[in-house]
Amino acid sequence: MKISINCIDASDGKISGIIKVFVSSLVHFIFFVCLSQTSLASELDYGLVAEPVAKGTYAFIGSTKYFSKNNGGNIVNTAYIVTDEGVIVIDTGPSYRYGKQMREYIEASTALPIIKVFITHHHPDHFLGNKAFADVPITTLAGVVDGIKRQGDAFTDNLYVLIGDWMKETEVYIPTEVISPGKISIGGHEIEIIALDGHTHSDMVILDHTTGMLFTGDLVFHDRTPALANANIEHWLSSLSRLQTLNYTYLIPGHGPITNNEHPMKQTSDYLSWLRTTLEQALTNGLTMPEALEMELPQSFRDLDILQEEYKRAVLQLYPRMEQHYFDK
Amino acid sequence: MQQTNPEKQCSRNRLNQSSFIHYFLVFNVWLLIFSDPAYAELTIDPLDSPGWKTVHKVILANEEVVFDDRVEVIVPAVAEDPLQVPVSVRVEGIGHIEEIRVFADLNPIQKILNFHPGKIEPFIAFRFKVQQSTPVRAAARTADGVWHVGGQWLDATGGGCTAPSVGRGLANWRETLGNVKSRLWSRTDQPDRLRFRIMHPMDTGLAAGIPAFYIEVLELKDSHGDLLAQIQSYQPVSENPFFSVDLQSSQFQGLILTGRDNNGNLINQALK
Ligand SMILES: [Zn+2]
């Protein structure tokens, strides 16, 4: 008590000093808030910088976190290939703003026009930038078009909630061209379109035989926990076995750093196999969903970013389906 | 300039401000005496919810409550699918529990379920529907009439890659209405368990043109027809509800589930 009286009593000067500091920092704070509000409204910047991967091939490598107002949904890898005829873009990012900034960056780096956009699958972080490429053929598998038509609007609504202002003017823009699996030649590049599934019902993989680049879409996650919202684990695992038979020099995963080896494929399949076994065991041992949610996760997956978060999401997405199946047996 | 002696300044100020200090001190002393921090901790809503007063009145009739961690409510931090939010409630270490009420302060229909554990464990797990972010709570009433309340906030603002809930209702729901499937687990290191699923649309009545249609009561009985436990469920319980409860494997023999929905459809099935 003595101490607290001293503090109050002896601090006439101190109090006014504190008030002064408080008032001036308040003024600064208000100024700062106004300032940042204005800049928020006008110029949210993804700060995209492309990483050169091989001759004429560049990738924009996003964060390995989840969607947030901090990252504006830049949690994804997109890429482009500069061919003799023009530029091929692979995936357009999570928002119109991202697509626009990506396009500005590409157009500042080459005089060649953008002649083709490929979309790997129907998840929002991979196609919501489409509108920025509305004058270019946007090409994908028929299944991806179906997926966008079915879930595109719901995904867009969710992203408006998750990343807010970054989504301004973003709307679903459906790809304009359907492609069948096989080889095509664009600007001197021999490009193979491979139709797989498992991460979603329709996942497109692009192999550039000319440079040896493998664009896996979200069939491969690297140092980032796979997302299972629309997944079929069996199919995903067999797609990964198929990918492991391909010849490539560099692998550009849907999320996480680029590599020249199959480590991220193994990482993804190890996690998926573990997840399947673990949830099946939980179910046959009579565990409830909250009990499955609270389970301890193995140390061996500590390299996977946001492991806890994505694991929980996977349980919430997969367990109800598995339970229904188990009780229907 | 001469330094002011802090002691002197102190006493002068104390005189000047004596009345202020006096009140300040008195106030503090009263606070110390009458606001036992332990008591405050038990009666101030730890979830700091704007809806607590309302649910305290509506769900618990303003009866005596204490906030108590031993009423363990598990919900995910984020509702990935707002139509299927898993929740489990377990009460441990506060004696016999007469009734457990599960509710969500900020849901349009706050009441989710009342559970009378009777002769089985004070544990229940199931799934329910939410409209927005809300505290999810369970209140467990002990024999002295006090409600012990536990809970957690649930964030239901958005699910990113979540598949929207489409076409959940089976086309032939009328044919399967009230069908029950169940499984029993005898376990060594944990209580034995019963899980069962009942086919039912569980319509809230909040969607335009679809009246409320939900299971109102379920009773778990032993082979003699004696009541083991009772569940009163309300509209927010998810479609085709899944319930998990813990009991003794000695109670497994001849288990029967009976029940009824708000349209008078009956449920009656042996569980195995
Ligand atoms: Zn994806």
Side-chain angles (χ1 to χ4, degrees), chain A residues 120-126 199-200 203 217-219 221 227 230 255, chain B residues 161:
Chain A
T120 59
H121 67 295
H122 81 292
H123 279 161
D125 42 339
H126 296 262
H199 172 65
T200 68
D203 297 296
D218 280 4
L219 286 171
F221 281 70
N230 299 99
H255 301 263
Chain B
C161 273

Side-chain angles (χ1 to χ4, degrees), chain B residues 3 29 48 59 77-78 113 115 123 130 133 141 161 165 184 199 201 214 222 224 230 236 257 259-260:
Chain B
Q3 283 289 93
V29 168
D48 195 19
I59 311 276
V78 180
L113 175 144
F115 174 47
F123 163 81
V130 286
S133 299
R141 183 161 47 85
C161 273
S165 321
L184 294 157
M199 300 307 282
Y214 60 98
D222 67 13
H224 311 291
Q230 191 205 48
L257 182 75
R260 132 181 82 64

